[in-house]
Amino acid sequence: MPKKLFLLLVTILSISCKSDDDSMDLNCAAVFCAAVDDTLYLQFLNPENDDDLLDNGAIDTNLMEIVNEKNQEITFTIEEYPDMGMFLAIPVSKESFRQQSFTIDFEEGDSFTIHLETSFPKGEGCCGPYTTLENFNIDHYSYELVEPSPFPVFSTVYIPNLN
């Protein structure tokens, strides 16, 4: 029962938040907001058997390079999520909200480009606004369709023949 009461209180506080002016609403101070994570997380799987290509070493991340549409190298990380697998984490620029692209080169002659479009919606309420993915497409490989949503965004890319 205490959990339900707490949830009801948090819901009421978050609904009562207003952003009519630049001052912080005292009701909003009681709401816990998710930290901003403008990251694209990609999991690479073999389409024939769903093997995780980062986990089994079929993709050597030491040989991987990622560049953006301006040909600038992007620093990435590899992150493991229990019960989900290994993910390539690419930070998405929020300097300006627009179309962006990342070319991922495996140094083995295999490369592909990710095209995405981001926006920064005008938010109401206590939390946000957060960067939103509006459009997502990958050249060369099949992938899990990503619907428009706030970041972070997770997708699976199916890459055959990297053994």
Side-chain angles (χ1 to χ4, degrees), residues 17-77:
C17 294
K18 299 175 186 170
S19 61
D20 294 338
D21 58 11
D22 291 335
S23 65
M24 178 182 236
D25 189 320
L26 291 178
N27 292 328
C28 288
V31 175
F32 298 104
C33 297
V36 175
D37 182 5
D38 291 331
T39 306
L40 174 62
Y41 294 93
L42 299 176
Q43 183 177 40
F44 300 116
L45 298 181
N46 182 326
E48 296 173 8
N49 54 20
D50 282 342
D51 278 349
D52 186 327
L53 301 174
L54 289 172
D55 190 37
N56 71 11
I59 294 176
D60 185 349
T61 57
N62 294 318
L63 300 176
M64 186 182 293
E65 180 180 73
I66 301 176
V67 295
N68 65 11
E69 67 279 356
K70 297 175 185 174
N71 233 10
Q72 299 167 326
E73 190 168 341
I74 302 297
T75 302
F76 61 89
T77 58

Side-chain angles (χ1 to χ4, degrees), residues 45-127:
L45 298 181
N46 182 326
E48 296 173 8
N49 54 20
D50 282 342
D51 278 349
D52 186 327
L53 301 174
L54 289 172
D55 190 37
N56 71 11
I59 294 176
D60 185 349
T61 57
N62 294 318
L63 300 176
M64 186 182 293
E65 180 180 73
I66 301 176
V67 295
N68 65 11
E69 67 279 356
K70 297 175 185 174
N71 233 10
Q72 299 167 326
E73 190 168 341
I74 302 297
T75 302
F76 61 89
T77 58
I78 303 299
E79 298 184 19
E80 181 175 7
Y81 289 90
D83 301 323
M84 290 177 62
M86 303 288 283
F87 287 82
L88 174 73
I90 304 171
V92 176
S93 173
K94 54 187 176 186
E95 310 178 341
S96 63
F97 300 96
R98 58 178 164 46
Q99 292 184 352
Q100 299 179 49
S101 66
F102 300 100
T103 299
I104 299 175
D105 186 358
F106 296 126
E107 295 280 335
E108 299 163 355
D110 288 316
S111 68
F112 66 95
T113 303
I114 300 167
H115 304 277
L116 53 95
E117 183 176 347
T118 60
S119 67
F120 194 63
K122 299 291 182 200
E124 297 272 334
C126 299
C127 296

